[in-house]
Amino acid sequence: MINDYEATHPMTTDAIPAYDDTTPNDEVISTLNGLIQTCKDGQEGFKDAAENVKSPSLKALFFENSLERSRFVGELQELVRSLGGDPEKTGTLLAAVHRGWLDLKTAISSNDEAAVLNECERGEDSAKATYAAAIAKALPDQVLDLVKTQSKSINEAHDRIKALRDAANDAVLKAAAAK
């Protein structure tokens, strides 16, 4: 049986707040600029990782992820401009520290590909969280669609890196056990 409230306010399981044109453009632009910073940090982190690992397959994966993040930055910057804002042009040192990308420098200097994968996966954890927080906000449909599409790709990249990290860590454990 449907009560009067359910008849006038359909029940939904969608937890994403609806955008109602009262959300200030500044809030939407700020959210997008936060994503731009996240993507710039990831772009630089993946580029550094690609330039410093020996494995050709990891080099290719990290360069691919860096290029993808660069593309995401361009898409987000264009969206900010279309909303009348000034897009973020760089990542931030504070954001990089928060996202774990600076720890990548230590992992790279150790020449330990498992450690590099660990740090890349940590950076991706943060990117996933930043995108999830953005998706939870009230955003215009075209903004939300782009953020969801990019989020899906970041989640897929995270899962690939996590699987490689797990395999590398297993190999390290097996090598240690064989000694």
Side-chain angles (χ1 to χ4, degrees), residues 125-147:
D125 281 342
S126 183
K128 281 176 51 176
T130 302
Y131 269 83
I135 289 170
K137 295 182 179 184
L139 298 172
D141 288 342
Q142 82 274 13
V143 172
L144 186 59
D145 289 345
L146 177 66
V147 172

CSV table of all heavy atoms in Angstrom, one decimal, residues 125-147:
chain,number,residue,atom,x,y,z
A,125,ASP,N,44.0,5.1,-4.0
A,125,ASP,CA,43.0,5.1,-2.9
A,125,ASP,C,42.5,6.5,-2.6
A,125,ASP,O,41.3,6.7,-2.5
A,125,ASP,CB,43.6,4.5,-1.6
A,125,ASP,CG,43.7,3.0,-1.6
A,125,ASP,OD1,43.0,2.3,-2.5
A,125,ASP,OD2,44.5,2.5,-0.8
A,126,SER,N,43.4,7.4,-2.6
A,126,SER,CA,43.0,8.8,-2.3
A,126,SER,C,42.2,9.4,-3.4
A,126,SER,O,41.2,10.1,-3.2
A,126,SER,CB,44.2,9.6,-2.0
A,126,SER,OG,43.8,10.9,-1.7
A,127,ALA,N,42.6,9.1,-4.7
A,127,ALA,CA,41.9,9.6,-5.8
A,127,ALA,C,40.4,9.0,-5.8
A,127,ALA,O,39.5,9.8,-6.1
A,127,ALA,CB,42.6,9.3,-7.1
A,128,LYS,N,40.3,7.8,-5.5
A,128,LYS,CA,39.0,7.2,-5.4
A,128,LYS,C,38.1,7.9,-4.4
A,128,LYS,O,36.9,8.2,-4.7
A,128,LYS,CB,39.1,5.7,-5.1
A,128,LYS,CG,39.5,4.8,-6.2
A,128,LYS,CD,39.7,3.3,-5.7
A,128,LYS,CE,38.5,2.8,-4.9
A,128,LYS,NZ,38.6,1.4,-4.6
A,129,ALA,N,38.7,8.2,-3.3
A,129,ALA,CA,37.9,8.8,-2.2
A,129,ALA,C,37.5,10.2,-2.6
A,129,ALA,O,36.4,10.7,-2.3
A,129,ALA,CB,38.8,8.9,-0.9
A,130,THR,N,38.4,11.0,-3.3
A,130,THR,CA,38.1,12.3,-3.7
A,130,THR,C,37.0,12.3,-4.7
A,130,THR,O,36.1,13.1,-4.7
A,130,THR,CB,39.4,13.0,-4.3
A,130,THR,OG1,40.4,13.0,-3.3
A,130,THR,CG2,39.1,14.4,-4.8
A,131,TYR,N,37.0,11.4,-5.7
A,131,TYR,CA,35.9,11.3,-6.6
A,131,TYR,C,34.6,10.8,-6.0
A,131,TYR,O,33.6,11.4,-6.3
A,131,TYR,CB,36.3,10.3,-7.8
A,131,TYR,CG,37.0,11.0,-8.9
A,131,TYR,CD1,38.4,11.4,-8.9
A,131,TYR,CD2,36.3,11.4,-10.0
A,131,TYR,CE1,39.0,12.0,-9.9
A,131,TYR,CE2,36.9,12.1,-11.1
A,131,TYR,CZ,38.2,12.4,-11.0
A,131,TYR,OH,38.8,13.1,-12.0
A,132,ALA,N,34.7,9.9,-5.0
A,132,ALA,CA,33.5,9.5,-4.3
A,132,ALA,C,32.8,10.7,-3.6
A,132,ALA,O,31.6,10.8,-3.6
A,132,ALA,CB,33.8,8.3,-3.4
A,133,ALA,N,33.7,11.5,-3.0
A,133,ALA,CA,33.1,12.7,-2.3
A,133,ALA,C,32.5,13.7,-3.3
A,133,ALA,O,31.5,14.3,-3.0
A,133,ALA,CB,34.3,13.4,-1.5
A,134,ALA,N,33.1,13.8,-4.4
A,134,ALA,CA,32.5,14.7,-5.5
A,134,ALA,C,31.2,14.2,-6.0
A,134,ALA,O,30.2,14.9,-6.1
A,134,ALA,CB,33.5,14.9,-6.6
A,135,ILE,N,31.1,12.9,-6.2
A,135,ILE,CA,29.9,12.3,-6.7
A,135,ILE,C,28.8,12.4,-5.6
A,135,ILE,O,27.6,12.5,-6.0
A,135,ILE,CB,30.1,10.8,-7.0
A,135,ILE,CG1,31.0,10.7,-8.3
A,135,ILE,CG2,28.8,10.0,-7.2
A,135,ILE,CD1,31.5,9.3,-8.6
A,136,ALA,N,29.1,12.5,-4.4
A,136,ALA,CA,28.1,12.6,-3.3
A,136,ALA,C,27.5,14.0,-3.2
A,136,ALA,O,26.6,14.2,-2.5
A,136,ALA,CB,28.7,12.2,-2.0
A,137,LYS,N,28.1,14.9,-4.0
A,137,LYS,CA,27.6,16.3,-3.9
A,137,LYS,C,26.5,16.6,-5.0
A,137,LYS,O,26.4,15.8,-6.0
A,137,LYS,CB,28.7,17.3,-4.1
A,137,LYS,CG,29.8,17.3,-3.0
A,137,LYS,CD,30.9,18.3,-3.3
A,137,LYS,CE,31.9,18.2,-2.1
A,137,LYS,NZ,32.9,19.2,-2.3
A,138,ALA,N,25.7,17.6,-4.8
A,138,ALA,CA,24.7,18.0,-5.8
A,138,ALA,C,25.5,18.7,-6.9
A,138,ALA,O,26.0,19.8,-6.7
A,138,ALA,CB,23.7,18.9,-5.1
A,139,LEU,N,25.5,18.0,-8.1
A,139,LEU,CA,26.2,18.6,-9.2
A,139,LEU,C,25.3,18.6,-10.4
A,139,LEU,O,24.4,17.7,-10.5
A,139,LEU,CB,27.4,17.7,-9.5
A,139,LEU,CG,28.5,17.7,-8.5
A,139,LEU,CD1,29.6,16.6,-8.9
A,139,LEU,CD2,29.2,19.0,-8.3
A,140,PRO,N,25.4,19.5,-11.3
A,140,PRO,CA,24.6,19.5,-12.6
A,140,PRO,C,24.9,18.2,-13.3
A,140,PRO,O,25.9,17.6,-13.2
A,140,PRO,CB,25.2,20.7,-13.4
A,140,PRO,CG,25.9,21.5,-12.4
A,140,PRO,CD,26.4,20.6,-11.3
A,141,ASP,N,23.9,17.8,-14.1
A,141,ASP,CA,24.0,16.5,-14.8
A,141,ASP,C,25.2,16.3,-15.6
A,141,ASP,O,25.9,15.2,-15.5
A,141,ASP,CB,22.7,16.3,-15.6
A,141,ASP,CG,21.5,16.0,-14.8
A,141,ASP,OD1,21.6,15.6,-13.6
A,141,ASP,OD2,20.4,16.1,-15.4
A,142,GLN,N,25.6,17.3,-16.4
A,142,GLN,CA,26.7,17.1,-17.3
A,142,GLN,C,28.0,17.0,-16.5
A,142,GLN,O,28.9,16.3,-16.9
A,142,GLN,CB,26.8,18.2,-18.4
A,142,GLN,CG,27.5,19.5,-17.9
A,142,GLN,CD,26.5,20.5,-17.2
A,142,GLN,OE1,25.4,20.2,-16.9
A,142,GLN,NE2,26.9,21.8,-17.1
A,143,VAL,N,28.1,17.7,-15.3
A,143,VAL,CA,29.2,17.6,-14.5
A,143,VAL,C,29.3,16.2,-13.8
A,143,VAL,O,30.3,15.5,-13.8
A,143,VAL,CB,29.2,18.7,-13.4
A,143,VAL,CG1,30.3,18.5,-12.4
A,143,VAL,CG2,29.3,20.1,-14.0
A,144,LEU,N,28.1,15.8,-13.3
A,144,LEU,CA,28.1,14.5,-12.6
A,144,LEU,C,28.4,13.4,-13.6
A,144,LEU,O,29.1,12.4,-13.2
A,144,LEU,CB,26.7,14.3,-12.0
A,144,LEU,CG,26.5,13.1,-11.1
A,144,LEU,CD1,27.5,13.0,-10.0
A,144,LEU,CD2,25.0,13.0,-10.6
A,145,ASP,N,27.9,13.4,-14.8
A,145,ASP,CA,28.2,12.4,-15.8
A,145,ASP,C,29.7,12.3,-16.0
A,145,ASP,O,30.2,11.2,-16.0
A,145,ASP,CB,27.5,12.7,-17.1
A,145,ASP,CG,26.0,12.5,-17.0
A,145,ASP,OD1,25.5,11.9,-16.1
A,145,ASP,OD2,25.3,13.0,-17.9
A,146,LEU,N,30.4,13.4,-16.2
A,146,LEU,CA,31.8,13.4,-16.4
A,146,LEU,C,32.6,12.8,-15.2
A,146,LEU,O,33.5,12.0,-15.3
A,146,LEU,CB,32.3,14.8,-16.8
A,146,LEU,CG,33.9,14.8,-17.0
A,146,LEU,CD1,34.3,14.0,-18.2
A,146,LEU,CD2,34.3,16.3,-17.1
A,147,VAL,N,32.2,13.3,-14.0
A,147,VAL,CA,32.8,12.9,-12.8
A,147,VAL,C,32.7,11.3,-12.6
A,147,VAL,O,33.6,10.6,-12.3
A,147,VAL,CB,32.3,13.7,-11.6
A,147,VAL,CG1,32.9,13.1,-10.3
A,147,VAL,CG2,32.8,15.1,-11.7
